[in-house]
Amino acid sequence: MRSLFLTLAFMGLTSPAIASTCEESFQKKGDFLNGSAFAARVQVEGGTVEKVFSQLRPILARDGIKTISADVSTGVMKAENPATFFQRALPIDVFASMDGSLLNVEMVFTLPSGVTARKETVKKHLCDALNQLVPKGNGAALPIKDDSMAIAIDAKTLAKQVKESADNPARLRLNFVGKTFRVNGNVLGITESSGSYTVSFDSAQPAVGNTSTNKMNRMTVLCTMAKNQDAAVAALETNQRATLVGRFQGFDNKVNAVQLQDCIGR
């Protein structure tokens, strides 16, 4: 049950930083005493769930991983590292979802309490498999090319809807993860880190009741800009309304932040 909880924790709760490669997306949750999980993801241009699952079967088999089931309709593939004399079988789950012409593919490897593994070793195995799904020379996350199907929404409304779904990882994954949103709102601030810009939108809800409680529950919508967006960022002004299009990456419940990636100006 602990391993299942950790696996579900990755379905919608990804790293705050933009992950342009599988290796950069890699993360770990949990610990030795309570069980842990490792996850990595890639985006495949023009792929389909059925095609990716058929590709993954032999890729995993070459690494000694046995595929248990694959449900194309839900985008969930289950596999396992077979049991040995010294340890029981260890689950590996793959989640695939379409976003326009992009297919998001995430792989999660869970460990029960009392079992450990080196991060670098797990990263190598996960990304060696996932990178084979990405065409050569196309390892980076692709920018949004067609935003005609983007969901138009106000930053405050998006924050409210995500918050209401935050206690159900499956609901987050189905309704938000990988989807493209056209977000409109007041710009609170613009920061730069490692050559990437992050724009924060005002997403506070109207104050009701205890003021200190409202501050603790304050939501933020963070939009990390795609590469070569200097001109779009330069045109933004704090305390002024702006519209950005970005792909939902996750929700960080520790800081109440909705995270959008590969954002472009509109």
Side-chain angles (χ1 to χ4, degrees), residues 12-17 155 158-160 162-163 166 172 198-201 203 216-224 248-260:
L13 298 180
T14 50
S15 170
L158 176 61
K160 181 176 183 293
V162 172
K163 184 66 174 178
L172 273 177
T198 298
V199 179
S200 59
F201 282 105
S203 51
M216 290 177 60
N217 293 327
R218 186 185 182 91
M219 292 279 292
T220 306
V221 173
L222 302 176
C223 208
T224 302
F248 188 95
Q249 182 185 23
F251 172 62
D252 188 336
N253 58 355
K254 292 182 180 179
V255 294
N256 278 340
V258 176
Q259 298 151 352
L260 304 178

Side-chain angles (χ1 to χ4, degrees), residues 156-169 171-172 175-176 205 219 251 256 258:
K156 294 181 180 180
T157 302
L158 176 61
K160 181 176 183 293
Q161 291 180 359
V162 172
K163 184 66 174 178
E164 291 173 347
S165 301
D167 61 346
N168 189 329
R171 188 180 301 163
L172 273 177
N175 295 331
F176 300 100
Q205 303 300 315
M219 292 279 292
F251 172 62
N256 278 340
V258 176

Side-chain angles (χ1 to χ4, degrees), residues 55-93:
Q55 288 177 300
L56 274 176
R57 285 179 182 273
I59 290 173
L60 294 176
R62 286 193 292 269
D63 209 18
I65 306 300
K66 178 183 178 183
T67 300
I68 305 301
S69 64
D71 189 333
V72 174
S73 63
T74 60
V76 178
M77 181 176 184
K78 294 185 176 295
E80 67 177 18
N81 191 7
T84 67
F85 183 77
F86 301 100
Q87 71 177 28
R88 67 188 187 188
L90 301 174
I92 297 175
D93 299 292

Side-chain angles (χ1 to χ4, degrees), residues 98-100 144 146-159 161-162 171-185 201 221 223 242-248 258 260 263-264 266:
M98 294 299 303
D99 176 27
I144 298 169
D146 179 11
D147 63 357
S148 60
M149 299 301 291
I151 302 170
I153 193 168
D154 182 85
K156 294 181 180 180
T157 302
L158 176 61
Q161 291 180 359
V162 172
R171 188 180 301 163
L172 273 177
R173 176 172 177 266
L174 289 174
N175 295 331
F176 300 100
V177 174
K179 295 185 182 298
T180 300
F181 292 90
R182 185 189 301 271
V183 180
N184 181 271
F201 282 105
V221 173
C223 208
T243 299
L244 297 177
V245 178
R247 193 174 296 114
F248 188 95
V258 176
L260 304 178
C263 295
I264 55 177
R266 280 295 180 266

Side-chain angles (χ1 to χ4, degrees), residues 15-201:
S15 170
I18 284 299
S20 61
T21 67
C22 176
E23 286 75 14
E24 291 174 347
S25 76
F26 182 80
Q27 58 179 312
K28 175 188 176 182
K29 293 184 184 293
D31 53 46
F32 178 78
L33 295 178
N34 298 298
S36 55
F38 305 82
R41 68 191 292 266
V42 293
Q43 292 180 314
V44 183
E45 173 76 11
T48 65
V49 176
E50 184 175 15
K51 180 180 178 181
V52 162
F53 282 177
S54 66
Q55 288 177 300
L56 274 176
R57 285 179 182 273
I59 290 173
L60 294 176
R62 286 193 292 269
D63 209 18
I65 306 300
K66 178 183 178 183
T67 300
I68 305 301
S69 64
D71 189 333
V72 174
S73 63
T74 60
V76 178
M77 181 176 184
K78 294 185 176 295
E80 67 177 18
N81 191 7
T84 67
F85 183 77
F86 301 100
Q87 71 177 28
R88 67 188 187 188
L90 301 174
I92 297 175
D93 299 292
V94 180
F95 305 101
S97 59
M98 294 299 303
D99 176 27
S101 63
L102 289 174
L103 179 69
N104 298 311
V105 185
E106 182 177 31
M107 188 177 293
V108 182
F109 175 52
T110 56
L111 296 176
S113 59
V115 178
T116 187
R118 291 183 67 249
K119 281 184 66 175
E120 290 304 314
T121 299
V122 177
K123 179 195 291 187
K124 182 180 186 306
H125 282 286
L126 293 186
C127 287
D128 278 356
L130 290 173
N131 283 336
Q132 293 182 59
L133 303 175
V134 182
K136 199 169 184 179
N138 191 31
L142 294 167
I144 298 169
K145 295 180 180 178
D146 179 11
D147 63 357
S148 60
M149 299 301 291
I151 302 170
I153 193 168
D154 182 85
K156 294 181 180 180
T157 302
L158 176 61
K160 181 176 183 293
Q161 291 180 359
V162 172
K163 184 66 174 178
E164 291 173 347
S165 301
D167 61 346
N168 189 329
R171 188 180 301 163
L172 273 177
R173 176 172 177 266
L174 289 174
N175 295 331
F176 300 100
V177 174
K179 295 185 182 298
T180 300
F181 292 90
R182 185 189 301 271
V183 180
N184 181 271
N186 285 329
V187 176
L188 283 182
I190 304 169
T191 59
E192 181 183 10
S193 177
S194 302
S196 178
Y197 301 103
T198 298
V199 179
S200 59
F201 282 105

